[in-house]
Amino acid sequence: MSGFTRREFISASAATAATAAAATAGANPAAWGVATLRQEPTAAPGASGAAPNLPVVIASSNGLGGPPARKSCVELAMELMLAGKDPLTAVVEGVALVEADPSDQSVGYGGLPNEDGVVELDASVMYGPSHRSGAVAGLQRIMHPSRVAKLVLERTDHCMLVGEGALRFARAHGFEEMNLLTEESRKAWLEWKEHHSDDDDWLPEGSNEIGKQAAADRNWRHTFGTINCCAVSPAGDIAGVTTTSGLSWKIPGRVGDSPIIGAGLYVDNEVGAAGSTGRGEAVIQICGAHTIVEAMRRDPRLSPTDACIEACQRIVDKTKLPRLRTKEGRPNFGVMFYAVRKDGTFGAASIQEGPEFAVFAGGRARREKCAFLYPKGS
Ligand code: GLY
């Protein structure tokens, strides 16, 4: 049963039911708190050559599937690890498939652009054995920001390069420049541009009247798609990557959680790894991925799922602004966390019920449901 022990699975179901019941009954889940999941510690990987849960790859849901012609991120990452590649190379090459896929409008080529119609990409990587990281932010015209982030880790003494400096670094390393805006993403941007306000001079096709273009029933909220992928090798070494085109229609220069070590990604080779997708501002403000890994370090029996739930709860508790809350007082945005321990146990959680995550473990790639704080429709 995936990376969970049967005992943990039952506890997780009970905990989910408990928080669901609290929410359904109108109780405040923040006051209710989070049921604590426990699992029996497993043998240290590599100690006797026996590491029953390894290797493992986890990712956000876009780590599995995609167009029929292409392999998925978790499949390629697993294949590379089994062929002897290190887990950092494995996850970076895994997400590269998604970065190159124009049908995923949240990552790389074909990502949704900023408010000026320019695609700006963010990515970070972290490698457990060396505890080194690399990141780029606001990178334009390069399809694979995660590969550039890996080179920042490998070929500089720095942790992050941004904007023009990141582009120059990519050029110096032979990356090809290209227009990342596909026709589909350009049209989506233009539609947003022409409809998001009725107080400007942009008119949609067929509209002759200024002030009439904003469709009140359209949801022009921004989107935050991203891919996070973390892996533990057969030897118990850990690596992770997070890569994104960030918030759609963002203010140029806006940087989310994905390239920020400790927010959208964190790896500790003694403990595990965590990453996130969703509203980056909320993740940055609780140091999401670091919070999860530190929670797992603090309590070696805390499951990755429960560590992710704790981080979701922290976001709920810290979301104070009325404009970011529903009428029930909950966050009106989505955040998902994904985590894996060094022993190969893994989990994911979302504030609201619904999202899934991708996993390749036990010789099988599949999607599993994220744990959650609030059931659908509550
Ligand atoms: N989590 C992606 C972003 O907020 O940019």
Side-chain angles (χ1 to χ4, degrees):
M1 183 182 291
S2 72
F4 298 107
T5 61
R6 179 171 162 75
R7 177 178 167 187
E8 181 190 64
F9 181 79
I10 291 167
S11 305
S13 306
T16 300
T19 47
T24 310
N28 175 7
W32 181 275
V34 176
T36 304
L37 310 187
R38 295 283 181 258
Q39 64 185 104
E40 302 304 333
T42 55
S48 62
N53 299 319
L54 300 182
V56 60
V57 181
I58 63 166
S60 42
S61 66
N62 48 353
L64 194 59
R70 83 157 164 83
K71 201 168 274 190
S72 75
C73 164
V74 295
E75 286 168 323
L76 180 61
M78 180 58 77
E79 191 177 299
L80 291 173
M81 279 202 297
L82 293 175
K85 295 283 184 200
D86 65 84
L88 180 60
T89 301
V91 295
V92 167
E93 291 313 306
V95 299
L97 295 172
V98 184
E99 290 175 331
D101 180 353
S103 71
D104 190 321
Q105 290 182 294
S106 69
V107 179
Y109 177 56
L112 293 174
N114 66 20
E115 68 180 17
D116 292 342
V118 177
V119 181
E120 290 183 324
L121 304 178
D122 303 332
S124 64
V125 298
M126 192 157 184
Y127 186 50
S130 60
H131 204 70
R132 288 176 72 189
S133 64
V136 290
L139 178 62
Q140 299 180 11
R141 302 186 59 75
I142 304 290
M143 184 190 281
H144 292 296
S146 64
R147 287 182 181 158
V148 184
K150 183 167 179 276
L151 278 171
V152 171
L153 178 157
E154 291 169 348
R155 305 285 288 269
T156 78
D157 190 35
H158 306 315
C159 291
M160 183 188 279
L161 297 177
V162 305
E164 179 62 21
L167 178 58
R168 284 167 57 177
F169 176 78
R171 265 191 213 127
H173 283 274
F175 282 81
E176 193 183 320
E177 285 179 65
M178 62 180 292
N179 176 15
L180 298 174
L181 191 67
T182 56
E183 265 306 279
E184 205 182 346
S185 291
R186 183 191 64 77
K187 283 179 183 159
W189 167 78
L190 190 60
E191 202 185 344
W192 166 78
K193 189 90 182 154
E194 290 176 341
H195 286 89
H196 81 286
S197 168
D198 60 6
D199 194 23
D200 64 22
D201 297 336
W202 288 78
L203 299 179
E205 195 177 8
S207 167
N208 295 317
E209 270 186 89
I210 291 175
K212 293 281 187 249
Q213 66 268 45
D217 58 343
R218 290 297 297 268
N219 180 359
W220 290 114
R221 294 174 69 100
H222 301 214
T223 60
F224 295 90
T226 298
I227 184 164
N228 165 251
C229 182
C230 295
V232 189
S233 75
D237 286 330
I238 312 170
V241 60
T242 304
T243 176
T244 188
S245 51
L247 176 69
S248 60
W249 339 129
K250 60 195 171 188
I251 296 174
R254 177 265 185 190
V255 173
D257 57 328
S258 303
I260 297 182
I261 292 298
L265 178 69
Y266 191 67
V267 175
D268 185 314
N269 216 47
E270 311 312 313
V271 180
S276 61
T277 60
R279 182 179 154 82
E281 283 74 4
V283 176
I284 291 170
Q285 286 160 353
I286 66 144
C287 301
H290 185 262
T291 292
I292 291 167
V293 174
E294 286 305 303
M296 294 195 297
R297 179 204 307 281
R298 205 180 52 232
D299 181 352
R301 294 189 306 155
L302 187 70
S303 75
T305 306
D306 211 28
C308 291
I309 282 282
E310 273 192 26
C312 288
Q313 186 65 58
R314 185 81 54 88
I315 287 180
V316 171
D317 296 344
K318 297 294 183 189
T319 301
K320 313 274 189 199
L321 292 175
R323 71 177 165 79
L324 294 174
R325 296 170 72 109
T326 64
K327 60 182 188 322
E328 293 81 24
R330 300 171 190 166
N332 61 13
F333 52 82
V335 167
M336 281 67 67
F337 288 112
Y338 317 90
V340 63
R341 269 193 184 276
K342 189 173 179 68
D343 66 4
T345 52
F346 58 84
S350 163
I351 295 176
Q352 288 93 8
E353 180 182 7
E356 296 182 325
F357 67 108
V359 57
F360 200 134
R364 196 165 62 85
R366 66 229 180 237
R367 284 215 180 85
E368 296 196 2
K369 287 194 185 311
C370 296
F372 56 88
L373 286 175
Y374 301 117
K376 259 184 198 148
S378 69

